[in-house]
Short mmCIF file of all heavy atoms in Angstrom, two decimals:
data_model
loop_
_atom_site.label_atom_id
_atom_site.label_comp_id
_atom_site.label_asym_id
_atom_site.label_seq_id
_atom_site.Cartn_x
_atom_site.Cartn_y
_atom_site.Cartn_z
N MET A 168 0.83 -1.18 0.01
CA MET A 168 0.03 -0.02 -0.02
C MET A 168 0.88 1.27 -0.01
O MET A 168 1.78 1.41 0.84
CB MET A 168 -0.90 -0.04 1.17
CG MET A 168 -1.76 1.25 1.35
SD MET A 168 -2.89 1.12 2.81
CE MET A 168 -4.23 0.37 2.09
N PRO A 169 0.67 2.12 -0.95
CA PRO A 169 1.56 3.31 -0.98
C PRO A 169 1.20 4.29 0.14
O PRO A 169 0.21 4.23 0.71
CB PRO A 169 1.17 4.07 -2.35
CG PRO A 169 -0.21 3.50 -2.61
CD PRO A 169 -0.26 2.11 -2.01
N ASN A 170 2.23 5.10 0.54
CA ASN A 170 2.11 6.03 1.56
C ASN A 170 1.09 7.10 1.20
O ASN A 170 1.26 7.78 0.32
CB ASN A 170 3.44 6.71 1.93
CG ASN A 170 3.45 7.40 3.21
OD1 ASN A 170 2.38 7.57 3.85
ND2 ASN A 170 4.54 8.03 3.57
N GLN A 171 -0.01 7.28 2.04
CA GLN A 171 -1.04 8.21 1.63
C GLN A 171 -0.85 9.56 2.33
O GLN A 171 -1.61 10.47 2.06
CB GLN A 171 -2.45 7.64 2.07
CG GLN A 171 -2.66 6.37 1.28
CD GLN A 171 -4.06 5.75 1.82
OE1 GLN A 171 -4.62 6.34 2.69
NE2 GLN A 171 -4.46 4.66 1.12
N PHE A 172 0.12 9.62 3.27
CA PHE A 172 0.32 10.87 3.95
C PHE A 172 1.29 11.70 3.20
O PHE A 172 2.31 11.28 2.59
CB PHE A 172 0.88 10.60 5.39
CG PHE A 172 -0.06 9.79 6.17
CD1 PHE A 172 0.21 8.48 6.49
CD2 PHE A 172 -1.18 10.36 6.64
CE1 PHE A 172 -0.69 7.71 7.23
CE2 PHE A 172 -2.08 9.61 7.42
CZ PHE A 172 -1.81 8.30 7.68
N GLN A 173 1.02 13.11 3.14
CA GLN A 173 1.90 14.05 2.59
C GLN A 173 2.42 14.95 3.68
O GLN A 173 1.71 15.84 4.04
CB GLN A 173 1.25 14.71 1.43
CG GLN A 173 0.86 13.89 0.25
CD GLN A 173 0.25 14.59 -0.84
OE1 GLN A 173 0.07 15.90 -0.75
NE2 GLN A 173 -0.02 14.00 -1.91
N TYR A 174 3.64 14.67 4.10
CA TYR A 174 4.23 15.54 5.14
C TYR A 174 4.87 16.75 4.61
O TYR A 174 5.47 16.64 3.54
CB TYR A 174 5.26 14.69 6.04
CG TYR A 174 4.51 13.53 6.75
CD1 TYR A 174 4.76 12.24 6.28
CD2 TYR A 174 3.88 13.72 7.93
CE1 TYR A 174 4.19 11.23 6.96
CE2 TYR A 174 3.31 12.73 8.56
CZ TYR A 174 3.46 11.43 8.12
OH TYR A 174 2.86 10.47 8.84
N GLU A 175 4.78 17.78 5.30
CA GLU A 175 5.48 19.03 4.90
C GLU A 175 6.92 18.96 5.43
O GLU A 175 7.20 18.34 6.44
CB GLU A 175 4.77 20.24 5.49
CG GLU A 175 3.38 20.46 4.91
CD GLU A 175 2.75 21.75 5.37
OE1 GLU A 175 3.47 22.55 5.99
OE2 GLU A 175 1.55 21.88 5.14
N PRO A 176 7.86 19.65 4.78
CA PRO A 176 9.20 19.55 5.26
C PRO A 176 9.35 20.28 6.62
O PRO A 176 8.60 21.04 6.90
CB PRO A 176 9.95 20.34 4.08
CG PRO A 176 9.00 21.11 3.45
CD PRO A 176 7.67 20.44 3.56
N ILE A 177 10.36 19.78 7.39
CA ILE A 177 10.65 20.36 8.69
C ILE A 177 11.17 21.76 8.45
O ILE A 177 11.98 22.07 7.59
CB ILE A 177 11.60 19.49 9.43
CG1 ILE A 177 10.99 18.15 9.78
CG2 ILE A 177 12.02 20.17 10.68
CD1 ILE A 177 11.96 17.18 10.31
N GLU A 178 10.69 22.70 9.19
CA GLU A 178 11.09 24.09 9.12
C GLU A 178 11.53 24.63 10.39
O GLU A 178 11.22 24.06 11.53
CB GLU A 178 9.98 25.00 8.56
CG GLU A 178 8.73 24.91 9.46
CD GLU A 178 7.48 25.56 8.86
OE1 GLU A 178 7.31 25.63 7.60
OE2 GLU A 178 6.73 26.03 9.62
N LYS A 179 12.27 25.77 10.42
CA LYS A 179 12.80 26.43 11.58
C LYS A 179 11.59 26.97 12.39
O LYS A 179 10.53 27.29 11.85
CB LYS A 179 13.69 27.55 11.24
CG LYS A 179 15.09 26.99 10.86
CD LYS A 179 16.00 28.17 10.60
CE LYS A 179 16.26 28.41 9.12
NZ LYS A 179 17.15 29.57 8.88
N PHE A 180 11.78 27.16 13.70
CA PHE A 180 10.67 27.72 14.53
C PHE A 180 10.31 29.08 14.05
O PHE A 180 11.08 29.91 13.92
CB PHE A 180 11.20 27.76 16.00
CG PHE A 180 10.24 28.26 16.97
CD1 PHE A 180 9.12 27.48 17.22
CD2 PHE A 180 10.30 29.63 17.43
CE1 PHE A 180 8.10 28.06 18.20
CE2 PHE A 180 9.33 30.11 18.26
CZ PHE A 180 8.21 29.36 18.69
N GLY A 181 8.98 29.24 13.82
CA GLY A 181 8.45 30.55 13.41
C GLY A 181 8.55 30.89 11.88
O GLY A 181 7.97 31.77 11.42
N GLU A 182 9.11 29.93 11.10
CA GLU A 182 9.24 30.18 9.70
C GLU A 182 7.95 30.14 9.00
O GLU A 182 7.71 30.91 8.11
CB GLU A 182 10.25 29.10 9.17
CG GLU A 182 10.59 29.36 7.66
CD GLU A 182 11.43 28.32 7.07
OE1 GLU A 182 11.79 27.41 7.77
OE2 GLU A 182 11.73 28.38 5.87
N GLY A 183 7.09 29.33 9.49
CA GLY A 183 5.73 29.21 8.81
C GLY A 183 4.90 30.52 8.92
O GLY A 183 4.00 30.67 8.11
N LEU A 184 5.16 31.24 9.89
CA LEU A 184 4.37 32.54 10.05
C LEU A 184 5.02 33.68 9.26
O LEU A 184 4.35 34.65 9.12
CB LEU A 184 4.39 32.85 11.53
CG LEU A 184 3.83 31.87 12.52
CD1 LEU A 184 3.95 32.27 13.94
CD2 LEU A 184 2.31 31.72 12.20
N THR A 185 6.18 33.47 8.80
CA THR A 185 6.88 34.61 8.14
C THR A 185 7.11 34.42 6.62
O THR A 185 7.42 35.37 5.97
CB THR A 185 8.24 34.99 8.72
OG1 THR A 185 8.99 33.81 8.66
CG2 THR A 185 8.16 35.28 10.21
N THR A 186 6.76 33.23 6.16
CA THR A 186 6.98 32.93 4.79
C THR A 186 5.61 33.18 4.04
O THR A 186 4.58 33.32 4.63
CB THR A 186 7.42 31.53 4.42
OG1 THR A 186 6.42 30.63 4.93
CG2 THR A 186 8.73 31.26 5.06
N ARG A 187 5.77 33.26 2.73
CA ARG A 187 4.51 33.52 1.88
C ARG A 187 3.85 32.23 1.50
O ARG A 187 2.93 32.17 0.70
CB ARG A 187 4.90 34.26 0.57
CG ARG A 187 5.25 35.69 0.94
CD ARG A 187 4.74 36.51 -0.17
NE ARG A 187 4.97 37.93 0.01
CZ ARG A 187 4.05 38.76 0.52
NH1 ARG A 187 2.94 38.32 0.97
NH2 ARG A 187 4.29 40.04 0.64
N ARG A 188 4.28 31.06 2.03
CA ARG A 188 3.69 29.73 1.72
C ARG A 188 2.26 29.72 2.17
O ARG A 188 1.91 30.19 3.32
CB ARG A 188 4.49 28.63 2.38
CG ARG A 188 4.24 27.32 1.83
CD ARG A 188 5.24 26.32 2.25
NE ARG A 188 5.83 26.73 3.57
CZ ARG A 188 5.99 25.92 4.61
NH1 ARG A 188 5.62 24.61 4.45
NH2 ARG A 188 6.46 26.34 5.76
N PRO A 189 1.36 29.28 1.33
CA PRO A 189 -0.02 29.34 1.84
C PRO A 189 -0.39 28.25 2.84
O PRO A 189 0.30 27.25 2.99
CB PRO A 189 -0.85 28.99 0.49
CG PRO A 189 0.11 28.24 -0.34
CD PRO A 189 1.56 28.81 -0.05
N TRP A 190 -1.39 28.56 3.64
CA TRP A 190 -1.82 27.62 4.78
C TRP A 190 -2.72 26.55 4.12
O TRP A 190 -3.23 26.72 3.07
CB TRP A 190 -2.59 28.37 5.76
CG TRP A 190 -1.88 29.32 6.62
CD1 TRP A 190 -1.12 30.43 6.18
CD2 TRP A 190 -1.71 29.18 8.01
NE1 TRP A 190 -0.59 30.97 7.27
CE2 TRP A 190 -0.89 30.30 8.39
CE3 TRP A 190 -2.13 28.33 8.90
CZ2 TRP A 190 -0.56 30.45 9.68
CZ3 TRP A 190 -1.83 28.49 10.24
CH2 TRP A 190 -0.99 29.58 10.66
N ASN A 191 -2.68 25.44 4.72
CA ASN A 191 -3.64 24.34 4.31
C ASN A 191 -5.04 24.64 4.76
O ASN A 191 -5.44 24.19 5.85
CB ASN A 191 -3.05 22.95 4.90
CG ASN A 191 -3.86 21.83 4.34
OD1 ASN A 191 -4.87 21.98 3.66
ND2 ASN A 191 -3.47 20.65 4.73
N ASN A 192 -5.73 25.38 4.01
CA ASN A 192 -7.05 25.85 4.40
C ASN A 192 -8.09 24.71 4.62
O ASN A 192 -9.04 24.80 5.50
CB ASN A 192 -7.61 26.87 3.48
CG ASN A 192 -6.84 28.19 3.56
OD1 ASN A 192 -6.26 28.43 4.64
ND2 ASN A 192 -6.85 28.98 2.47
N LYS A 193 -7.90 23.64 3.85
CA LYS A 193 -8.92 22.48 4.00
C LYS A 193 -8.76 21.90 5.40
O LYS A 193 -9.84 21.62 6.05
CB LYS A 193 -8.64 21.46 2.98
CG LYS A 193 -9.24 21.75 1.61
CD LYS A 193 -9.01 20.45 0.71
CE LYS A 193 -9.77 20.69 -0.56
NZ LYS A 193 -9.60 19.54 -1.43
N ALA A 194 -7.52 21.64 5.81
CA ALA A 194 -7.41 21.04 7.22
C ALA A 194 -7.88 22.01 8.20
O ALA A 194 -8.51 21.62 9.24
CB ALA A 194 -5.93 20.76 7.36
N LEU A 195 -7.57 23.31 8.12
CA LEU A 195 -7.97 24.31 9.12
C LEU A 195 -9.57 24.44 9.13
O LEU A 195 -10.13 24.64 10.17
CB LEU A 195 -7.36 25.65 8.75
CG LEU A 195 -5.90 25.77 8.97
CD1 LEU A 195 -5.39 27.16 8.47
CD2 LEU A 195 -5.51 25.59 10.42
N ALA A 196 -10.21 24.36 8.01
CA ALA A 196 -11.66 24.42 7.94
C ALA A 196 -12.29 23.28 8.71
O ALA A 196 -13.23 23.51 9.52
CB ALA A 196 -12.16 24.51 6.53
N ALA A 197 -11.74 22.14 8.47
CA ALA A 197 -12.30 20.91 9.20
C ALA A 197 -12.11 21.16 10.75
O ALA A 197 -12.96 20.71 11.52
CB ALA A 197 -11.65 19.59 8.66
N VAL A 198 -10.90 21.50 11.16
CA VAL A 198 -10.63 21.64 12.55
C VAL A 198 -11.61 22.71 13.24
O VAL A 198 -12.13 22.49 14.30
CB VAL A 198 -9.17 21.98 12.73
CG1 VAL A 198 -8.83 22.44 14.19
CG2 VAL A 198 -8.31 20.76 12.47
N GLU A 199 -11.67 23.82 12.54
CA GLU A 199 -12.55 24.94 13.02
C GLU A 199 -14.06 24.47 13.08
O GLU A 199 -14.75 24.82 14.00
CB GLU A 199 -12.44 26.17 12.18
CG GLU A 199 -11.10 26.83 12.37
CD GLU A 199 -10.98 27.34 13.81
OE1 GLU A 199 -11.85 27.78 14.44
OE2 GLU A 199 -9.78 27.22 14.32
N LEU A 200 -14.49 23.63 12.08
CA LEU A 200 -15.85 23.26 12.10
C LEU A 200 -16.03 22.31 13.33
O LEU A 200 -17.08 22.44 14.05
CB LEU A 200 -16.14 22.45 10.88
CG LEU A 200 -17.54 21.96 10.64
CD1 LEU A 200 -18.45 23.15 10.53
CD2 LEU A 200 -17.62 21.12 9.42
N LEU A 201 -15.10 21.36 13.56
CA LEU A 201 -15.24 20.49 14.71
C LEU A 201 -15.19 21.25 16.06
O LEU A 201 -15.96 21.02 16.94
CB LEU A 201 -14.10 19.42 14.70
CG LEU A 201 -14.11 18.47 15.89
CD1 LEU A 201 -15.29 17.63 15.85
CD2 LEU A 201 -12.85 17.60 15.77
N ASN A 202 -14.29 22.21 16.10
CA ASN A 202 -14.17 23.04 17.36
C ASN A 202 -15.41 23.85 17.60
O ASN A 202 -15.90 23.92 18.67
CB ASN A 202 -12.99 24.00 17.20
CG ASN A 202 -12.66 24.78 18.44
OD1 ASN A 202 -12.97 24.36 19.50
ND2 ASN A 202 -12.07 25.89 18.35
N GLY A 203 -16.06 24.39 16.58
CA GLY A 203 -17.29 25.12 16.76
C GLY A 203 -18.41 24.26 17.17
O GLY A 203 -19.27 24.67 18.02
N ARG A 204 -18.46 23.09 16.63
CA ARG A 204 -19.57 22.23 17.07
C ARG A 204 -19.40 21.70 18.39
O ARG A 204 -20.37 21.57 19.21
CB ARG A 204 -19.73 20.96 16.04
CG ARG A 204 -20.13 21.35 14.70
CD ARG A 204 -20.27 20.23 13.72
NE ARG A 204 -20.85 20.66 12.53
CZ ARG A 204 -20.81 20.02 11.39
NH1 ARG A 204 -20.29 18.78 11.44
NH2 ARG A 204 -21.40 20.46 10.33
N ALA A 205 -18.14 21.40 18.90
CA ALA A 205 -17.98 21.02 20.27
C ALA A 205 -18.26 22.13 21.22
O ALA A 205 -18.78 21.93 22.36
CB ALA A 205 -16.50 20.64 20.44
N ALA A 206 -17.94 23.32 20.81
CA ALA A 206 -18.24 24.53 21.68
C ALA A 206 -19.78 24.69 21.83
O ALA A 206 -20.23 24.95 22.92
CB ALA A 206 -17.66 25.76 21.08
N MET A 207 -20.52 24.46 20.73
CA MET A 207 -22.00 24.61 20.77
C MET A 207 -22.62 23.46 21.74
O MET A 207 -23.44 23.77 22.52
CB MET A 207 -22.55 24.46 19.36
CG MET A 207 -22.36 25.70 18.57
SD MET A 207 -23.29 25.69 17.03
CE MET A 207 -22.00 24.93 15.96
N LEU A 208 -22.00 22.27 21.70
CA LEU A 208 -22.57 21.17 22.46
C LEU A 208 -22.20 21.51 24.01
O LEU A 208 -23.11 21.30 24.86
CB LEU A 208 -21.83 19.91 22.18
CG LEU A 208 -22.41 19.27 20.88
CD1 LEU A 208 -21.60 18.03 20.57
CD2 LEU A 208 -23.85 18.77 21.10
N GLY A 209 -21.04 21.98 24.22
CA GLY A 209 -20.66 22.36 25.65
C GLY A 209 -21.54 23.49 26.18
O GLY A 209 -21.93 23.48 27.29
N PHE A 210 -21.85 24.51 25.37
CA PHE A 210 -22.70 25.59 25.76
C PHE A 210 -24.12 25.11 26.06
O PHE A 210 -24.72 25.46 27.12
CB PHE A 210 -22.71 26.68 24.75
CG PHE A 210 -23.47 27.88 25.16
CD1 PHE A 210 -22.92 28.74 26.09
CD2 PHE A 210 -24.66 28.21 24.65
CE1 PHE A 210 -23.50 29.92 26.48
CE2 PHE A 210 -25.46 29.29 25.10
CZ PHE A 210 -24.88 30.21 25.99
N ALA A 211 -24.64 24.24 25.21
CA ALA A 211 -25.93 23.71 25.39
C ALA A 211 -25.91 22.84 26.65
O ALA A 211 -26.98 22.89 27.45
CB ALA A 211 -26.33 22.82 24.23
N ALA A 212 -24.84 22.09 26.94
CA ALA A 212 -24.78 21.22 28.15
C ALA A 212 -24.81 22.09 29.38
O ALA A 212 -25.43 21.80 30.37
CB ALA A 212 -23.60 20.28 28.09
N ALA A 213 -24.13 23.26 29.27
CA ALA A 213 -24.03 24.13 30.43
C ALA A 213 -25.46 24.74 30.72
O ALA A 213 -25.77 24.93 31.89
CB ALA A 213 -23.01 25.23 30.20
N LEU A 214 -26.16 25.13 29.76
CA LEU A 214 -27.43 25.72 29.89
C LEU A 214 -28.41 24.64 30.45
O LEU A 214 -29.21 24.98 31.41
CB LEU A 214 -28.04 26.14 28.51
CG LEU A 214 -27.40 27.38 27.98
CD1 LEU A 214 -28.05 27.76 26.71
CD2 LEU A 214 -27.63 28.61 29.02
N ILE A 215 -28.40 23.41 29.98
CA ILE A 215 -29.25 22.41 30.51
C ILE A 215 -28.93 22.08 31.92
O ILE A 215 -29.77 21.98 32.81
CB ILE A 215 -29.18 21.08 29.64
CG1 ILE A 215 -29.77 21.37 28.28
CG2 ILE A 215 -29.80 19.96 30.31
CD1 ILE A 215 -29.51 20.33 27.18
N GLY A 216 -27.62 22.09 32.22
CA GLY A 216 -27.18 21.87 33.66
C GLY A 216 -27.61 22.93 34.54
O GLY A 216 -28.08 22.70 35.71
N GLU A 217 -27.62 24.17 34.08
CA GLU A 217 -28.06 25.30 34.82
C GLU A 217 -29.58 25.19 35.12
O GLU A 217 -30.13 25.47 36.25
CB GLU A 217 -27.74 26.61 34.17
CG GLU A 217 -28.05 27.82 35.02
CD GLU A 217 -27.50 29.07 34.52
OE1 GLU A 217 -26.59 29.02 33.59
OE2 GLU A 217 -27.86 30.12 34.97
N LEU A 218 -30.35 24.84 34.11
CA LEU A 218 -31.75 24.68 34.23
C LEU A 218 -32.15 23.59 35.24
O LEU A 218 -33.11 23.73 35.96
CB LEU A 218 -32.52 24.47 32.92
CG LEU A 218 -32.48 25.55 31.93
CD1 LEU A 218 -32.99 25.12 30.54
CD2 LEU A 218 -33.39 26.72 32.49
N LEU A 219 -31.47 22.49 35.15
CA LEU A 219 -31.74 21.33 36.03
C LEU A 219 -31.32 21.57 37.49
O LEU A 219 -31.95 21.20 38.43
CB LEU A 219 -31.11 20.09 35.53
CG LEU A 219 -31.57 19.54 34.14
CD1 LEU A 219 -30.83 18.34 33.71
CD2 LEU A 219 -33.05 19.14 34.27
N SER A 220 -30.14 22.24 37.66
CA SER A 220 -29.64 22.31 39.03
C SER A 220 -29.94 23.67 39.66
O SER A 220 -29.86 23.81 40.89
CB SER A 220 -28.07 22.21 38.98
OG SER A 220 -27.51 23.25 38.33
N GLY A 221 -30.17 24.76 38.90
CA GLY A 221 -30.47 25.98 39.42
C GLY A 221 -29.15 26.83 39.80
O GLY A 221 -29.22 27.85 40.30
N HIS A 222 -28.04 26.19 39.43
CA HIS A 222 -26.74 26.76 39.77
C HIS A 222 -26.06 27.14 38.37
O HIS A 222 -26.22 26.51 37.41
CB HIS A 222 -25.74 25.87 40.57
CG HIS A 222 -26.32 25.43 41.80
ND1 HIS A 222 -26.33 26.33 42.90
CD2 HIS A 222 -26.80 24.28 42.35
CE1 HIS A 222 -26.79 25.62 43.85
NE2 HIS A 222 -27.15 24.49 43.64
N GLY A 223 -25.21 28.19 38.45
CA GLY A 223 -24.42 28.50 37.29
C GLY A 223 -23.28 27.49 37.11
O GLY A 223 -23.23 26.54 37.78
N ALA A 224 -22.37 27.98 36.19
CA ALA A 224 -21.20 27.00 35.92
C ALA A 224 -20.42 26.79 37.20
O ALA A 224 -20.02 25.58 37.42
CB ALA A 224 -20.36 27.54 34.75
N ALA A 225 -19.93 27.85 37.88
CA ALA A 225 -19.18 27.66 39.06
C ALA A 225 -19.88 26.83 40.06
O ALA A 225 -19.34 25.95 40.82
CB ALA A 225 -18.80 29.01 39.67
N GLY A 226 -21.08 27.05 40.35
CA GLY A 226 -21.95 26.24 41.28
C GLY A 226 -22.04 24.76 40.89
O GLY A 226 -21.96 23.95 41.84
N GLN A 227 -22.08 24.58 39.70
CA GLN A 227 -22.18 23.15 39.29
C GLN A 227 -20.84 22.42 39.49
O GLN A 227 -20.84 21.30 40.04
CB GLN A 227 -22.50 23.07 37.75
CG GLN A 227 -23.84 23.53 37.42
CD GLN A 227 -24.10 23.43 35.88
OE1 GLN A 227 -23.58 22.57 35.18
NE2 GLN A 227 -24.92 24.34 35.36
N VAL A 228 -19.70 23.10 39.24
CA VAL A 228 -18.44 22.47 39.50
C VAL A 228 -18.27 22.30 40.97
O VAL A 228 -17.82 21.25 41.43
CB VAL A 228 -17.31 23.39 38.87
CG1 VAL A 228 -16.05 22.93 39.39
CG2 VAL A 228 -17.37 23.39 37.37
N LEU A 229 -18.69 23.22 41.77
CA LEU A 229 -18.56 23.11 43.24
C LEU A 229 -19.45 21.95 43.75
O LEU A 229 -19.03 21.19 44.50
CB LEU A 229 -18.95 24.38 43.88
CG LEU A 229 -18.73 24.55 45.40
CD1 LEU A 229 -17.27 24.39 45.68
CD2 LEU A 229 -19.25 25.93 45.83
N SER A 230 -20.59 21.78 43.20
CA SER A 230 -21.45 20.69 43.62
C SER A 230 -20.82 19.32 43.25
O SER A 230 -20.91 18.41 44.00
CB SER A 230 -22.80 20.83 42.88
OG SER A 230 -23.49 21.93 43.30
N ILE A 231 -20.26 19.24 42.13
CA ILE A 231 -19.50 18.01 41.78
C ILE A 231 -18.34 17.70 42.65
O ILE A 231 -18.12 16.60 43.01
CB ILE A 231 -19.12 18.15 40.30
CG1 ILE A 231 -20.33 18.06 39.34
CG2 ILE A 231 -18.17 16.96 39.92
CD1 ILE A 231 -20.07 18.15 37.89
N VAL A 232 -17.63 18.76 42.97
CA VAL A 232 -16.48 18.61 43.85
C VAL A 232 -16.91 18.09 45.22
O VAL A 232 -16.39 17.16 45.87
CB VAL A 232 -15.61 19.86 43.95
CG1 VAL A 232 -14.61 19.78 45.09
CG2 VAL A 232 -15.01 20.16 42.63
N ARG A 233 -17.96 18.71 45.80
CA ARG A 233 -18.58 18.38 47.11
C ARG A 233 -19.00 16.89 46.98
O ARG A 233 -18.72 16.05 47.96
CB ARG A 233 -19.71 19.24 47.45
CG ARG A 233 -19.23 20.61 48.00
CD ARG A 233 -20.44 21.46 48.26
NE ARG A 233 -20.04 22.82 48.72
CZ ARG A 233 -20.84 23.78 48.65
NH1 ARG A 233 -22.11 23.71 48.31
NH2 ARG A 233 -20.40 25.00 49.09
N TRP A 234 -19.75 16.49 45.95
CA TRP A 234 -20.24 15.14 45.79
C TRP A 234 -19.07 14.15 45.77
O TRP A 234 -19.05 13.15 46.38
CB TRP A 234 -21.09 15.07 44.56
CG TRP A 234 -21.47 13.60 44.18
CD1 TRP A 234 -22.45 12.90 44.78
CD2 TRP A 234 -20.83 12.77 43.28
NE1 TRP A 234 -22.51 11.64 44.19
CE2 TRP A 234 -21.49 11.55 43.28
CE3 TRP A 234 -19.77 12.95 42.41
CZ2 TRP A 234 -21.06 10.47 42.55
CZ3 TRP A 234 -19.34 11.88 41.57
CH2 TRP A 234 -20.11 10.67 41.68
N TYR A 235 -18.06 14.54 45.04
CA TYR A 235 -16.93 13.62 44.87
C TYR A 235 -16.20 13.46 46.13
O TYR A 235 -15.72 12.35 46.48
CB TYR A 235 -15.91 14.20 43.81
CG TYR A 235 -14.73 13.24 43.50
CD1 TYR A 235 -14.85 12.10 42.81
CD2 TYR A 235 -13.49 13.57 44.00
CE1 TYR A 235 -13.82 11.25 42.64
CE2 TYR A 235 -12.42 12.78 43.77
CZ TYR A 235 -12.55 11.58 43.08
OH TYR A 235 -11.52 10.82 42.88
N LEU A 236 -16.02 14.48 46.96
CA LEU A 236 -15.33 14.43 48.21
C LEU A 236 -16.08 13.69 49.29
O LEU A 236 -15.53 13.18 50.27
CB LEU A 236 -14.92 15.92 48.73
CG LEU A 236 -13.90 16.56 47.83
CD1 LEU A 236 -13.69 18.02 48.36
CD2 LEU A 236 -12.60 15.84 47.74
N GLN A 237 -17.35 13.57 49.08
CA GLN A 237 -18.20 12.79 50.12
C GLN A 237 -18.06 11.29 49.87
O GLN A 237 -18.43 10.53 50.70
CB GLN A 237 -19.64 13.22 49.95
CG GLN A 237 -19.92 14.60 50.50
CD GLN A 237 -21.34 14.94 50.30
OE1 GLN A 237 -22.17 14.27 49.72
NE2 GLN A 237 -21.73 16.15 50.95
N LEU A 238 -17.66 10.88 48.70
CA LEU A 238 -17.55 9.43 48.44
C LEU A 238 -16.44 8.75 49.24
O LEU A 238 -15.55 9.04 49.65
CB LEU A 238 -17.29 9.17 46.95
CG LEU A 238 -18.50 9.57 46.13
CD1 LEU A 238 -18.12 9.31 44.64
CD2 LEU A 238 -19.73 8.81 46.32
#
């Protein structure tokens, strides 16, 4: 099976930010899409947790810590 990965050459630290070489926008788009979706799920989970518990984010974390320390 041929190697399907295309690695970029090793560069000096910071060189990628100062050269005119274009960024791999396809890879960045996929990462940003996944990051955005994960953030939306986390935000929705925080809202649902607040509705169920009546506490904000800090109160929820404090409740979990108290519960964990009681075990």
Side-chain angles (χ1 to χ4, degrees):
M168 176 179 270
N170 189 359
Q171 298 175 358
F172 300 107
Q173 295 183 356
Y174 295 104
E175 295 184 10
I177 297 175
E178 57 189 29
K179 287 188 248 175
F180 179 74
E182 184 181 0
L184 300 174
T185 59
T186 61
R187 292 221 175 260
R188 194 167 29 135
W190 288 65
N191 184 356
N192 290 335
K193 278 186 174 181
L195 290 176
V198 168
E199 288 298 321
L200 185 64
L201 179 63
N202 187 25
R204 289 180 177 169
M207 286 187 271
L208 285 173
F210 186 75
L214 286 178
I215 292 169
E217 187 170 346
L218 287 173
L219 293 175
S220 69
H222 298 287
Q227 292 176 36
V228 171
L229 189 59
S230 296
I231 290 173
V232 169
R233 285 181 183 157
W234 171 81
Y235 183 74
L236 292 176
Q237 287 178 353
L238 294 178

